[in-house]
Amino acid sequence: MIFAVFGTVERRSGLGRIFPLVSSRSNPDCWLMDKISKRTFLKGAPVLGITAGGPILAGAATHSENPLSKQETLLDPHYYSESGWQFGSQAIHHGEQEGYQVTPISQDKCAPGYQRPGNLKNPTVAALLRKVMELEGTQAAVGGPCGMGIIAQTYMALLRPGDRVVAHRCNYDWVMTLLREYLPSWGIEVQFLDFNQPERLEESLRKRSAKLVHWEPYVNPSMEVLDTQRLVEIAKAFGALSLVDNTWLTPYLLQPAALGADLVMHSVTKYMGGHGNAMGGVVSGRRDLISTIDRSQNWLGGLLRPMDAFMVTQGVKTLPLRMTQHSKTAQVVAEYLADHPAVKRVRYGGLPSWNALGQQASPRGFGGMLGIEWKQDRVHQSLGNHVRLILNATSLGDPCSRIMARQEETDRGIPARYTRVSIGLEEADDLMADFKQAIEKC
């Protein structure tokens, strides 16, 4: 069943301001106009009651030609569950302590195995790790105190002096510091390449083997969209392990393990937790690799704590809803900003003008992260002083929208006059209005 848009509904709800409607009473075959922009459609979707799984009944008519009935989920089509339940149901129910709807917070330091690496014997932490394993489709998982913590533990556990790492030219800032400064000081070679050209990785690995290949499918902060499937294939062909940081897309939008990735990392502080109230990091993947990382925590320390695990677990239960809304709102805002005279270019995976991969090798949605290249320095430098609803602050992936002015780094693909934007869960109209008034004051 689908939503029927009648003239009477238009008058009651004001939908005429969102969609160009025609009266279906006079002509039952007339529905929404054929040419509706993505921005206009997505703005109206919450009003019409459209969800990630399709439209819900809000009227008393059906019509096979209604374009709203074809609305697709943003879920990665590679998702598979042995239980047969859908992603959202698994996110809610999987991994909880037997007999509990919500696994309690277990802080007992004397419980058998509590202080063992990985905390799998702590029911609170285990609930989160089991959810991540299920949603990412991996064999095992281990948690750390934050995203950067688990990445550093992974590298220290798996690498030895003389090993070689090949990484994309741009990653999260502190990962870049680890790769640029610390790994070389430990006798580990690191090479940075532009993975927008996968053939460059292939050429590098053909000349000399590497232990690990590291990248983010949707790159922080440059917003480059990389062909993860192709990169995994190249790494495997030359015997290298693939480490994919899936923090920005989450397993709802992309499941790297289903494409063959060996390890998948998350700062669960961000979208997985989704509320900005907890910190943690999780790496999941092949059992043998996770076992090595797990054992290293005996001497590295840095475990995922039960309170943080509890908070993140509650956030995971709404992951599909949040990622759908982040994606929809970001698409609307990105299209609005792309048309603004103060903007040189908007970088967002959902914009064909930016994402060269199009639909060939991309997720169906890109979450809430986008970048803005400004035409003038004054807007770039002073925008943060004038936003009212949007926060001028770091971090990302929770209900609050944020902006962060970046400095030009040509070697990382970060342009001049560039602002990173994290779109939260506020209404798109309010965010666009805030951008409008802030730009006017610059």
Side-chain angles (χ1 to χ4, degrees):
M1 292 181 288
I2 54 180
F3 189 97
V5 183
F6 295 106
T8 54
V9 176
E10 176 186 353
R11 290 194 293 271
R12 291 177 183 175
S13 65
L15 286 175
R17 294 191 297 272
I18 301 176
F19 292 112
L21 302 178
V22 294
S23 173
S24 59
R25 287 189 172 180
S26 60
N27 185 353
D29 289 328
C30 291
W31 289 81
L32 301 177
M33 300 295 288
D34 291 336
K35 297 181 180 179
I36 300 176
S37 72
K38 184 181 289 186
R39 183 198 314 170
T40 303
F41 171 75
L42 293 176
K43 284 175 65 177
V47 178
L48 294 173
I50 298 170
T51 67
I56 60 174
L57 179 63
T62 62
H63 197 291
S64 61
E65 298 299 321
N66 186 353
L68 298 185
S69 66
K70 300 178 182 179
Q71 173 72 356
E72 294 183 353
T73 175
L74 299 181
L75 174 65
D76 187 330
H78 293 96
Y79 176 71
Y80 170 76
S81 172
E82 292 184 357
S83 72
W85 292 345
Q86 299 295 321
F87 186 99
S89 300
Q90 287 292 77
I92 294 170
H93 293 283
H94 188 80
E96 300 293 339
Q97 186 176 2
E98 186 176 357
Y100 289 89
Q101 172 188 335
V102 177
T103 301
I105 304 170
S106 177
Q107 294 278 31
D108 187 355
K109 301 298 188 294
C110 295
Y114 170 78
Q115 297 187 38
R116 288 293 301 160
N119 289 353
L120 273 174
K121 291 191 177 181
N122 178 279
T124 313
V125 177
L128 173 59
L129 297 182
R130 286 194 292 262
K131 285 184 189 294
V132 173
M133 290 160 54
E134 167 66 19
L135 300 180
E136 284 286 9
T138 51
Q139 298 174 348
V142 61
C146 63
M148 196 62 233
I150 200 65
I151 289 175
Q153 289 176 354
T154 297
Y155 272 98
M156 287 188 280
L158 298 180
L159 296 179
R160 297 292 181 269
D163 284 339
R164 180 169 178 261
V165 174
V166 182
H168 179 52
R169 64 178 180 176
C170 188
N171 293 278
Y172 170 57
D173 290 338
W174 288 113
V175 170
M176 294 298 292
T177 301
L178 174 68
L179 297 176
R180 283 171 165 172
E181 300 179 17
Y182 289 94
L183 292 191
S185 71
W186 300 335
I188 297 167
E189 178 188 343
V190 179
Q191 181 183 21
F192 294 99
L193 295 174
D194 182 357
F195 283 7
N196 288 291
Q197 303 174 53
E199 62 273 13
R200 298 191 64 184
L201 173 62
E202 186 172 4
E203 180 182 353
S204 174
L205 295 179
R206 180 175 287 110
K207 290 180 178 179
R208 187 178 174 193
S209 63
K211 180 71 174 290
L212 300 173
V213 179
H214 182 121
W215 73 93
E216 302 166 358
Y218 190 32
V219 182
N220 181 5
S222 63
M223 309 299 156
E224 296 161 296
V225 182
L226 302 181
D227 188 343
T228 291
Q229 183 167 4
R230 179 65 182 137
L231 294 171
V232 168
E233 291 171 352
I234 293 172
K236 282 191 175 301
F238 291 93
L241 298 174
S242 52
L243 283 75
V244 180
D245 187 336
N246 201 28
T247 296
W248 275 19
L249 294 179
T250 79
Y252 185 67
L253 299 178
L254 181 70
Q255 289 152 14
L259 302 177
D262 297 294
L263 292 169
V264 182
M265 301 175 179
H266 287 279
S267 171
V268 296
T269 308
K270 308 303 193 302
Y271 285 108
M272 294 289 274
H275 291 81
N277 57 5
M279 295 183 69
V282 174
V283 58
S284 66
R286 280 173 33 190
R287 185 172 287 105
D288 60 326
L289 298 175
I290 296 299
S291 177
T292 300
I293 301 167
D294 182 278
R295 183 175 179 275
S296 74
Q297 288 187 330
N298 281 296
W299 54 273
L300 288 172
L303 306 181
L304 178 59
R305 296 304 180 187
M307 186 64 184
D308 285 309
F310 175 83
M311 299 298 287
V312 173
T313 299
Q314 307 320 305
V316 170
K317 295 177 182 181
T318 60
L319 182 65
L321 302 176
R322 290 185 290 102
M323 293 310 293
T324 297
Q325 195 59 48
H326 282 299
S327 299
K328 288 182 176 181
T329 304
Q331 183 74 39
V332 172
V333 174
E335 292 186 9
Y336 165 75
L337 290 170
D339 293 335
H340 197 286
V343 174
K344 178 181 178 181
R345 180 166 63 173
V346 173
R347 298 181 172 204
Y348 183 64
L351 295 179
S353 60
W354 170 247
N355 181 5
L357 293 178
Q359 298 300 317
Q360 297 177 3
S362 298
R364 293 174 174 175
F366 291 88
M369 301 304 299
L370 59 91
I372 309 170
E373 299 177 42
W374 302 101
K375 292 180 180 178
Q376 298 181 342
D377 288 333
R378 61 181 177 83
V379 181
H380 174 243
Q381 294 169 359
S382 61
L383 183 73
N385 298 327
H386 301 298
V387 288
R388 296 185 298 178
L389 177 67
I390 301 167
L391 303 179
N392 182 26
T394 56
S395 199
L396 57 97
D398 60 46
C400 299
S401 294
R402 293 173 170 83
I403 59 172
M404 180 183 180
R406 297 292 310 222
Q407 298 300 313
E408 182 179 9
E409 296 182 63
T410 55
D411 60 328
R412 295 177 64 188
I414 302 174
R417 299 182 297 277
Y418 185 67
T419 298
R420 189 189 76 174
V421 181
S422 172
I423 296 296
L425 297 177
E426 302 94 343
E427 296 296 331
D429 284 343
D430 293 329
L431 294 174
M432 290 186 289
D434 200 26
F435 271 114
K436 182 177 184 296
Q437 66 83 25
I439 294 171
E440 290 173 350
K441 292 178 180 177
C442 291

